[in-house]
């Protein structure tokens, strides 16, 4: 929990009202973003994202499984987040467990369209090997190393980068694949790159006083009345939306927030594309 004096609280609110935040940013400006890929060699894909002093890692593990009877033409993706107690004292015990569950659920909703995985964020049909019989199950794990606000956006960016870094082994299915469980041969040399073109970014707008800001720090979050997280893909389509905080929001404010998130998402997608490409180039050279 961030402990601030009354003077510090007024300084934060006053700066936001004048579009000059405590760290010099404007309301809709992100902190510097740094990305590394391939940080966990044992995973099929991984990435580390630093957003100011917020530091997170995402890894992807691919395993063969069986499609759900309700969705025989789709693979499965499960997202889990762990908040390291070293990142923040309140992550010790129950506090960390509750936040981990909240972040996991929010990411699932924003990127996959809730538990069904029927949303437009990640194309699950690309994970099917044999319809109704064999698919890829992707286990996405997020780890919070250091927390200074805006964890959801940072984790969303790390997952996008980790999926871009993910290589899924090519699977050869036996010709006589009429069996209930066909025989497969998993290649050790051929890998298919996961298509992340449709994976959205998450933009969280945090309302402080009469205004809202992007990429809030922990101190700024401590002064918020509410926050809305909106996932937007590169076509400008909204894939998911989550509100937190006790204060209700007028529908007109939600519409304005959506418009701002759409505008900001274009800049964020461009920045992430550039950082991911640079990180993967560095990884290839090393």
């Amino acid at each position: 929990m961030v402990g601030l004096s009354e003077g510090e609280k007024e300084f934060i609110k006053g700066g936001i009202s004048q579009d000059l935040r405590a760290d010099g940013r404007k309301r809709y400006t992100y902190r510097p973003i740094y990305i590394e890929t391939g940080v966990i060699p044992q995973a099929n894909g991984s990435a580390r994202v630093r957003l100011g002093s917020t530091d997170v890692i995402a890894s992807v593990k691919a395993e063969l499984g069986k499609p759900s009877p309700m969705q025989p033409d789709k693979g499965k993706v499960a997202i889990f987040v762990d908040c390291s107690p070293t990142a923040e004292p309140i992550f010790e015990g129950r506090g960390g467990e509750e936040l981990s569950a909240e972040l996991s659920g929010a990411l699932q909703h924003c990127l996959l369209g809730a538990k069904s995985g029927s949303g437009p964020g990640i194309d699950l049909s690309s994970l099917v090997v044999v319809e109704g019989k064999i698919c890829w199950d992707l286990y996405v794990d997020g780890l919070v190393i250091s927390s200074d606000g805006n964890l959801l956006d940072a984790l969303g960016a790390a997952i996008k980068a980790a999926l871009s870094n993910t290589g899924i082994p090519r699977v050869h299915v036996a010709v006589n694949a009429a069996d209930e469980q066909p025989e497969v041969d998993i290649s050790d040399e051929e890998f298919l790159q996961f298509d992340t073109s449709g994976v959205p970014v998450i933009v969280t707008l945090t309302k402080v006083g009469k205004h809202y800001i992007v990429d809030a720090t922990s101190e700024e979050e401590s002064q918020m009345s509410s926050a809305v997280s909106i996932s937007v893909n590169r076509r400008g389509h909204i894939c998911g939306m989550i509100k937190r905080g006790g204060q209700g929001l007028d529908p007109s404010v939600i519409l304005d927030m959506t418009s701002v998130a759409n505008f900001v998402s274009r800049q964020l997608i461009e920045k992430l594309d550039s950082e991911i490409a640079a990180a993967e180039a560095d990884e290839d050279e090393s």
Side-chain angles (χ1 to χ4, degrees), residues 28-89:
Y28 303 151
T29 305
Y30 275 79
R31 290 169 288 181
I33 301 173
Y34 302 99
I35 297 177
E36 295 175 70
T37 56
V39 294
I40 302 178
Q42 303 90 335
N44 291 84
S46 60
R48 180 176 186 174
V49 168
R50 279 172 287 180
L51 191 55
S53 297
T54 291
D55 193 353
V56 300
I57 290 177
S59 65
V60 180
K61 192 70 177 171
E63 295 181 3
L64 284 178
K66 188 172 183 178
S68 162
M70 302 292 290
Q71 295 179 315
D73 60 340
K74 290 181 169 64
K76 291 172 286 185
V77 177
I79 301 174
F80 304 96
V81 176
D82 180 31
C83 296
S84 169
T86 58
E88 195 73 43

Side-chain angles (χ1 to χ4, degrees), residues 142-166:
L143 175 64
V144 177
I145 300 172
S146 177
S147 173
D148 185 24
N150 204 23
L151 286 174
L152 191 61
D153 294 21
L155 285 164
I159 289 172
K160 185 177 177 70
L163 287 170
S164 178
N165 183 246
T166 295

Side-chain angles (χ1 to χ4, degrees), residues 16 32 42 46 55 59 67 93 124 146 217 240 266 278 280 282:
I16 289 171
Q42 303 90 335
S46 60
D55 193 353
S59 65
L124 300 183
S146 177
T217 64
R266 292 196 290 271
E280 291 180 341
D282 288 344

Side-chain angles (χ1 to χ4, degrees), residues 232-243:
V232 188
N233 65 20
R234 65 179 65 245
R235 297 160 103 188
H237 295 171
I238 293 173
C239 303
M241 184 183 298
I242 288 176
K243 177 194 169 294

